[in-house]
Amino acid sequence: MTEDRSPLAERFSIVGGGPIPRLLAVLGRAADEHPRLVRRTLIAVLVTWLPMLVLSALRGTAYGPRVTIPFVRDFAVNVRFLVAVPILILAESGIAKTWRTIALHFLRSGLVTEKGLPSFEAAIERTMRLRDRILPEVLLAITAFSPLIFYRSEPLLGGVSTWHTDGTGSGALSPAGWWFALVSTPFFRFLLLRWFWRLSLWTLFLWRTSRTGLHLVASHTDLAAGLGILSEGQKAFSPIVFAGGAVVAASVGNSIAYQGATLASMKVPMIAYGVLAVVLLIAPLLVVAPVLLDVKKKALFEYGALVTLHDQLFETRWLRGEKAGEQVILGSNDASSLNDLGAGYTVVRQMTFIPINRQTLITLALAAALPMGVLALFVTPAEQLLRMVMKMLG
């Protein structure tokens, strides 16, 4: 089985395509072309971050004591548009490549049979056709702009004078504040929402593929009947998890630096984000759980019967010294085959219905926790850090 059997699978992409890339072809004809991604990233930073810097500088609120939080010392806004936005764009290349590799793996590994190939290609075609529809992008854009009805500034900075406003935190928006509300924040929110949409498309593809009659083997050592590779697709999302964690950590940093909050008092949103991010990326794999449960249930009966038959022949021949007949399992009914078959049955019993491994869970958790760790180091006094290190060293 090779990917040559399906040119459609070779072109599979959830990240590429769609109305936005077509309209902005001059900025990036293909989402997985690195030079074009870099160009798009630079333009995104120039459009979202640079105007706010210039406008706040013209009002005298980019730096200096005029407001409590000048623009250059606003952790949340600078991390959001100088760190998170570039990551949300640059991550497209790696995630697109990983998802395409997984789609091709269904063919290379023989998971998709000749009989199931038309259904598999139909799943690819329907997913990519949905990706290219205009309505989802329009709805995402509307959703990205809708919060303007409720608020126009950072949610954790009420009552503090910032570059967002002409006066206090509740005053009229400054030109930089209007750019933040009308351009920069909706753009960031749209990028984030589009990743949720892409994750939904990936989930739909996995659901459709799992119903194409895959050739799953319960004794596969990945403990997922051959679908353990799907864990890599979720691990590829770690840059997105890191970007979100950086935004949360920066917002918490603002609260600590300018509103007297403490790291302990803000631990709930930080922990909540880490848990939510991991759960959100495990959830797509639940669509294959019913199929894996059926495979495991059937295999337990089949392997159980096979082990029973083998052990009966082993006991008849080696413990009772009787002739075991002509029936032979695994070459011979000796101790070696007894051990091999027992190991296979153990794998079946340990098979999981969610194809995600420990390494992926650790990677996602670290991606969410790393920005929080940097924040903890930033707000913890050097003397306290030194005492903690010395205490750990004994």
Side-chain angles (χ1 to χ4, degrees):
M1 296 293 185
T2 68
E3 62 272 25
D4 295 334
R5 294 168 53 231
S6 177
L8 185 61
E10 185 68 45
R11 299 192 305 270
F12 175 73
S13 176
I14 295 176
V15 173
I20 297 299
R22 290 201 300 268
L23 291 175
L24 302 178
V26 66
L27 302 181
R29 183 179 57 191
D32 57 349
E33 294 181 7
H34 185 70
R36 297 181 186 276
L37 277 180
V38 172
R39 187 188 310 171
R40 288 172 52 196
T41 302
L42 292 176
I43 292 176
V45 172
L46 291 175
V47 170
T48 58
W49 179 82
L50 186 59
M52 292 189 294
L53 173 64
V54 173
L55 291 172
S56 60
L58 293 175
R59 305 286 289 192
T61 57
Y63 51 88
R66 183 171 178 178
V67 292
T68 303
I69 309 178
F71 180 82
V72 296
R73 294 177 58 191
D74 187 336
F75 304 122
V77 74
N78 286 286
V79 168
R80 184 177 302 172
F81 298 108
L82 293 180
V83 177
V85 165
I87 290 176
L88 291 177
I89 297 175
L90 293 173
E92 293 180 2
S93 178
I95 295 177
K97 186 180 297 183
T98 299
W99 283 353
R100 184 181 298 110
T101 299
I102 292 175
L104 293 173
H105 176 79
F106 280 102
L107 299 174
R108 296 178 182 139
S109 63
L111 287 171
V112 174
T113 63
E114 292 289 345
K115 182 180 179 181
L117 181 58
S119 298
F120 178 69
E121 290 187 323
I124 293 177
E125 188 173 8
R126 292 174 66 185
T127 302
M128 294 177 66
R129 188 164 57 244
L130 183 58
R131 175 204 67 184
D132 290 336
R133 289 183 179 176
I134 295 178
L135 181 59
E137 298 275 358
V138 172
L139 294 177
L140 292 179
I142 293 174
T143 305
F145 278 92
S146 60
L148 290 174
I149 301 173
F150 306 104
Y151 65 89
R152 298 191 180 100
S153 62
E154 293 285 0
L156 298 180
L157 297 180
V160 179
S161 62
T162 75
W163 60 272
H164 289 270
T165 60
D166 286 324
T168 64
S170 59
L173 288 177
S174 65
W178 278 111
W179 192 273
F180 173 85
L182 297 177
V183 178
S184 302
T185 297
F187 181 81
F188 170 77
R189 196 179 290 121
F190 177 79
L191 289 179
L192 199 59
L193 288 173
R194 192 162 61 162
W195 275 115
F196 280 104
W197 170 238
R198 290 163 173 170
L199 187 61
S200 299
L201 289 175
W202 176 245
T203 304
L204 183 61
F205 168 73
L206 294 181
W207 180 81
R208 288 171 173 166
T209 300
S210 67
R211 271 72 180 173
T212 60
L214 297 176
H215 187 189
L216 300 175
V217 181
S219 58
H220 197 294
T221 53
D222 67 1
L223 302 181
L227 294 181
I229 189 66
L230 298 184
S231 185
E232 297 299 316
Q234 308 313 106
K235 187 194 298 183
F237 242 77
S238 55
I240 309 299
V241 174
F242 175 84
V247 173
V248 173
S251 298
V252 171
N254 270 356
S255 297
I256 293 174
Y258 303 115
Q259 292 188 309
T262 63
L263 194 61
S265 66
M266 301 300 293
K267 65 182 180 181
V268 173
M270 294 190 292
I271 295 175
Y273 171 77
V275 173
L276 181 63
V278 173
V279 170
L280 183 64
L281 287 172
I282 293 176
L285 300 181
L286 292 176
V287 298
V288 304
V291 175
L292 292 180
L293 283 173
D294 288 343
V295 169
K296 181 175 182 178
K297 182 178 179 180
K298 182 180 178 181
L300 283 174
F301 283 103
E302 293 176 343
Y303 274 79
L306 182 62
V307 170
T308 299
L309 177 59
H310 178 275
D311 291 355
Q312 289 172 345
L313 295 174
F314 177 87
E315 181 178 307
T316 299
R317 176 178 178 181
W318 296 105
L319 299 183
R320 298 178 183 175
E322 300 175 3
K323 186 176 181 180
E326 301 298 328
Q327 197 168 15
V328 178
I329 302 176
L330 296 181
S332 62
N333 302 309
D334 55 17
S336 176
S337 63
L338 185 71
N339 181 68
D340 293 340
L341 191 57
Y345 184 69
T346 300
V347 169
V348 174
R349 289 185 60 86
Q350 293 176 348
M351 178 183 159
T352 179
F353 65 93
I354 304 179
I356 193 164
N357 56 45
R358 183 181 302 178
Q359 184 181 8
T360 295
L361 291 175
I362 293 175
T363 300
L364 294 175
L366 287 178
L370 184 57
M372 316 300 177
V374 173
L375 174 64
L377 291 175
F378 181 78
V379 301
T380 304
E383 309 84 47
Q384 184 176 346
L385 285 175
L386 182 60
R387 287 197 300 269
M388 291 173 59
V389 171
M390 295 304 294
K391 185 176 181 180
M392 288 186 290
L393 292 176

